[in-house]
Every structure is written in structure tokens, then in C-alpha cells.
Amino acid sequence: MNRSSRSMRKLLDAVASNNEVAALDVMRATEQLKDELLRQRLLNLIHQLNQDAHDLRLARDDVQGGTIKFA
């Protein structure tokens, strides 16, 4: 694996980790809300952040030798 592939994998993993940390922070804040509509919107956001993190990790795993495999 070349340097650019390693860098891309590292970047994708870092962004995925940041999404997961953000999701946890929003979840903690959401637990304190009384407004159910806002609470539901934030829970949807949390779900999307976690899904994006999962997708980024899948993309990271597809990066090999300077190319990205497409399904």
C-alpha cells in the first residue's frame, strides 16, 4: 500500500471517529431535552452521523494500492 492510500485510509478513519464522537455528544445533550420534536430530529441526526461513520469505514476498507474499489 502506498503513502497516498495510507493517508486516505487514515483520513477516512479520522472523519468516521469524529462523526462518532459528535453523535455521542449530541446524544448526551438530547437526553436533557423536553421538546419531543427537537429530540426526534436530533435522534435522526445521531443515526445519520453513525451511519456515515460506518460508510466511511467501509470506504476506508476499499482503498487499496492507490485505487478505490467500486461495487
Side-chain angles (χ1 to χ4, degrees):
M1 185 179 305
N2 62 31
R3 177 184 269 187
S4 62
S5 293
R6 281 192 302 273
S7 294
M8 178 62 75
R9 288 173 57 91
K10 194 173 184 179
L11 175 64
L12 290 169
D13 197 46
V15 173
S17 292
N18 289 342
N19 275 18
E20 290 169 339
V21 168
L24 284 173
D25 288 342
V26 173
M27 191 178 306
R28 288 183 188 111
T30 301
E31 290 173 349
Q32 300 174 15
L33 292 176
K34 304 287 186 223
D35 183 336
E36 282 302 316
L37 180 59
L38 179 57
R39 187 177 168 95
Q40 188 57 49
R41 290 177 68 192
L42 289 172
L43 289 173
N44 290 338
L45 173 66
I46 292 163
H47 175 74
Q48 188 62 52
L49 285 168
N50 283 317
Q51 184 61 50
D52 289 347
H54 175 73
D55 292 344
L56 286 166
R57 289 220 166 83
L58 290 176
R60 174 205 61 197
D61 293 342
D62 286 344
V63 175
Q64 293 181 349
T67 62
I68 299 176
K69 297 186 303 186
F70 293 100

